[in-house]
Amino acid sequence: MKTIILKTLSAIVCVSVFFISCSGTKAEGGSQVENVPAAETPSVPGDAEYQRSKGNVDVSEEEFTNDKKQILITIAKLEAIMANMDYSGWYSYLDEESIEYWSKSVNLKRAAGRLPVKGLKLNSLSDYFKFVFVPARAGRTIDEIRYETKDTVKVVQFQEDTDTIYYNFNRIDGKWKLHLPALDD
């Protein structure tokens, strides 16, 4: 009897792990969350995430594994920073391009105009952190990445036919820095 129960539990765990590993994760980037069509999944389930992640970029499985691990560690640190509303900690993870772009009042004003809460003013990058970045990422679970290039990655929530982008990262001097995309015109 114990053998039958153990085999049944083992089968349930295997099926559960398969479905969990094939389900997507959440990731964020820029001023808003973006939904994009997911990459087509290959027929080999074992490396489906790797294939989705690398797309057309020449990245080995070892590079993918290392990059994903580093990015997820960075996101865990960012989650603690957001939970503590630690602006200076968050600022230290930003790439220079994002700091320059999002420090300009004209870009903050344009972003405020696109927010669902009308009348909210973004006067500084600190306001962007408090009123845009943190709320858009609160409570998200993220575990898949998408390479744009070997040094540019989007972190996504994968769902059947859509990737929801929550983070963008650029590798700069060997470290993954948070990139906040510019607004589309």
Side-chain angles (χ1 to χ4, degrees), residues 65-108:
T65 301
N66 290 334
D67 289 345
K68 180 180 171 187
K69 180 180 177 184
Q70 289 177 358
I71 289 168
L72 291 178
I73 288 169
T74 300
I75 289 172
K77 290 175 183 177
L78 285 168
E79 287 173 349
I81 285 169
M82 289 185 289
N84 293 318
M85 296 303 286
D86 177 10
Y87 169 72
S88 61
W90 176 76
Y91 186 90
S92 71
Y93 280 90
L94 292 177
D95 66 8
E96 288 299 320
E97 181 182 332
S98 298
I99 293 169
E100 183 179 331
Y101 181 87
W102 288 102
S103 293
K104 294 179 181 173
S105 61
V106 66
N107 296 328
L108 291 168

Side-chain angles (χ1 to χ4, degrees), residues 87-159:
Y87 169 72
S88 61
W90 176 76
Y91 186 90
S92 71
Y93 280 90
L94 292 177
D95 66 8
E96 288 299 320
E97 181 182 332
S98 298
I99 293 169
E100 183 179 331
Y101 181 87
W102 288 102
S103 293
K104 294 179 181 173
S105 61
V106 66
N107 296 328
L108 291 168
K109 184 177 180 180
R110 285 180 53 218
R114 296 178 180 194
L115 294 174
V117 177
K118 298 303 173 199
L120 181 63
K121 294 188 191 288
L122 300 176
N123 298 313
S124 66
L125 189 54
S126 176
D127 288 347
Y128 177 90
F129 170 70
K130 285 187 271 187
F131 301 119
V132 178
F133 190 85
V134 172
R137 289 150 184 85
R140 305 295 185 205
T141 304
I142 298 142
D143 63 10
E144 287 202 25
I145 64 175
R146 300 289 181 266
Y147 286 92
E148 296 289 309
T149 69
K150 283 187 92 130
D151 295 320
T152 306
V153 170
K154 295 179 184 224
V155 185
V156 305
Q157 174 187 16
F158 171 71
Q159 297 172 328

Side-chain angles (χ1 to χ4, degrees), residues 24-39:
T25 59
K26 299 179 181 186
E28 308 188 18
S31 61
Q32 36 189 297
V33 174
E34 177 184 356
N35 292 318
V36 295

Side-chain angles (χ1 to χ4, degrees), residues 52-70:
R52 282 191 305 268
S53 295
K54 76 178 192 87
N56 295 324
V57 178
D58 185 22
V59 177
S60 72
E61 287 187 59
E62 183 179 354
E63 288 173 304
F64 160 73
T65 301
N66 290 334
D67 289 345
K68 180 180 171 187
K69 180 180 177 184
Q70 289 177 358

